[in-house]
Amino acid sequence: MQLDHFVNSLGRDLKARYGERVKKLTIHGNFTCPNRDGTLGKGGCTFCNVASFADETQAQQSVATQLALKSAEIKVKTAKYLAYFQAYTSTYGELMQLDSLYQQALAYRGIVGLCVGTRPDCVSDQVLALLASYQQQGKEVWLELGLQTSNDKTLKRINRGHGWHEYQVICEKARALGIKVCTHLIIGLPGEGMVDYQRTIEQVVDLGVDGLKLHPLHIVTGSTMAKSYQAGRLTAISLEQYVEAAVMMIRHTPKDVVFHRVSATARKPTLIAPDWCEDRWLGMIAVAKALSEYGAQGSALAPKWHYLAA
Ligand code: SF4
């Protein structure tokens, strides 16, 4: 089942624009996070254990070494890449330090642009201007914003340390400068259901967005949520629930928005639940199959704000 037939995926989008395959290479910029170092908070987001998505050994290597190692791991060879600063908050540093790291990545052979993962409350005007300057030099720039949900009550409950407002402000500023915004959303956060997912996707789409990344809630060791799960206060999302929500969100998303991801995996023993998230293909194939049955991306664009009565 080819996901690209039903979704405007990043792979499809990049191939159409560059005429060949472009792969994302993840980099650890040795950053920290203001929600962990005490600036905003110490506990971090309740779902977070950075070790579940970041390789800490990478942090000690130069950007060039990381890119060389990551490009060597790619099975289907390609000559073009995006450098993805993924771990922690990759705009959380001095401007000169950021510029130096980003420029090291941009200077590496085959790098056509940057993806920079961060929090919506951690992107200064100076950082935006820096990213916009790379864009003006012909580089592709994606600002990847972790929003997770537009519901402020949930954001508070999961200890994000920011609300919808911070996202709204930075998303508008970035897009006004021509920087592409990719928004990360989690399906399965505590207390959330289909009404919340629909509200989130409609608010994000209505504000304007260039890319989306959908992610099932992973309950991972070392997170606050792991304790709740083990105490029986939290349940993990099933594959069926995930597919229903993801398909609804994709169908409510206009066709020009690029999906960087429609599911995500984690490895045991870091992953506690749900088990299905250990399989690399299960979520993606199930989403593609459901889209083939119910309609592709953009096939169910909703009238705005109808959920407000819900
Ligand atoms: S998810 Fe991101 S913002 Fe939240 S604690 Fe982890 S690194 Fe920090």
Side-chain angles (χ1 to χ4, degrees):
M1 190 65 62
Q2 266 281 21
L3 185 71
D4 286 1
H5 293 165
F6 314 106
V7 169
N8 183 18
S9 69
L10 181 64
R12 187 177 102 177
D13 172 68
L14 290 169
K15 196 166 183 188
R17 289 190 291 114
Y18 289 89
E20 61 183 296
R21 197 183 280 262
V22 180
K23 298 297 278 183
K24 241 171 154 175
L25 305 176
T26 53
I27 304 179
H28 196 316
N30 208 6
F31 294 101
T32 59
C33 164
N35 204 18
R36 288 185 163 272
D37 71 4
T39 304
L40 279 170
K42 281 209 162 144
C45 307
T46 59
F47 58 82
C48 177
N49 171 1
V50 182
S52 70
F53 59 85
D55 177 359
E56 294 299 340
T57 56
Q58 265 191 298
Q60 308 313 319
Q61 297 163 340
S62 71
V63 168
T65 301
Q66 291 184 54
L67 290 171
L69 291 172
K70 286 287 171 183
S71 57
E73 281 172 15
I74 292 178
K75 291 193 183 91
V76 184
K77 290 299 163 205
T78 175
K80 289 195 169 79
Y81 309 97
L82 288 171
Y84 177 23
F85 286 87
Q86 182 191 31
Y88 293 94
T89 304
S90 299
T91 54
Y92 189 43
E94 295 294 325
L95 197 66
M96 277 175 64
Q97 175 210 0
L98 296 177
D99 189 26
S100 164
L101 275 172
Y102 299 157
Q103 295 267 19
Q104 286 172 51
L106 289 170
Y108 192 80
R109 68 184 143 76
I111 295 290
V112 295
L114 297 178
C115 301
V116 178
T118 188
R119 299 167 51 85
D121 57 354
C122 206
V123 191
S124 66
D125 289 349
Q126 290 79 7
V127 169
L128 283 181
L130 183 66
L131 295 176
S133 73
Y134 304 144
Q135 179 118 333
Q136 283 149 16
Q137 290 160 31
K139 298 293 183 184
E140 172 133 4
V141 179
W142 285 91
L143 184 65
E144 301 213 13
L145 294 176
L147 172 64
Q148 324 309 354
T149 171
S150 68
N151 184 330
D152 278 337
K153 278 190 191 153
T154 309
L155 289 170
K156 194 163 184 204
R157 182 171 176 176
I158 63 173
N159 196 38
R160 277 294 292 177
H162 69 78
W164 164 258
H165 175 72
E166 287 79 2
Y167 168 80
Q168 193 174 12
V169 169
I170 206 64
C171 180
E172 285 179 336
K173 278 188 183 179
R175 297 189 81 235
L177 289 169
I179 299 166
K180 294 183 193 199
V181 171
C182 172
T183 301
H184 296 199
L185 300 173
I186 295 181
I187 297 171
L189 289 169
E192 294 222 324
M194 289 299 278
V195 170
D196 303 279
Y197 308 141
Q198 186 156 353
R199 182 181 289 130
T200 292
I201 195 66
E202 288 182 12
Q203 284 187 272
V204 166
V205 161
D206 193 53
L207 182 66
V209 73
D210 306 282
L212 287 170
K213 199 176 258 190
L214 301 183
H215 196 305
L217 176 69
H218 292 162
I219 300 165
V220 292
T221 54
S223 67
T224 308
M225 278 191 192
K227 292 185 195 121
S228 303
Y229 179 77
Q230 275 146 0
R233 295 193 302 272
L234 180 67
T235 51
I237 190 163
S238 68
L239 176 61
E240 293 71 24
Q241 288 169 321
Y242 182 75
V243 170
E244 185 186 8
V247 165
M248 178 276 292
M249 293 169 91
I250 294 166
R251 295 185 68 223
H252 279 77
T253 301
K255 288 184 176 159
D256 59 340
V257 176
V258 177
F259 275 88
H260 288 224
R261 186 174 277 189
V262 299
S263 189
T265 55
R267 283 206 200 107
K268 287 192 174 182
T270 308
L271 177 71
I272 298 173
D275 288 341
W276 63 268
C277 285
E278 210 190 353
D279 188 306
R280 194 166 166 217
W281 302 108
L282 209 56
M284 217 162 67
I285 290 171
V287 167
K289 188 164 178 296
L291 287 168
S292 77
E293 285 171 27
Y294 298 107
Q297 180 177 342
S299 61
L301 294 179
K304 285 175 195 168
W305 314 122
H306 62 91
Y307 55 77
L308 288 177

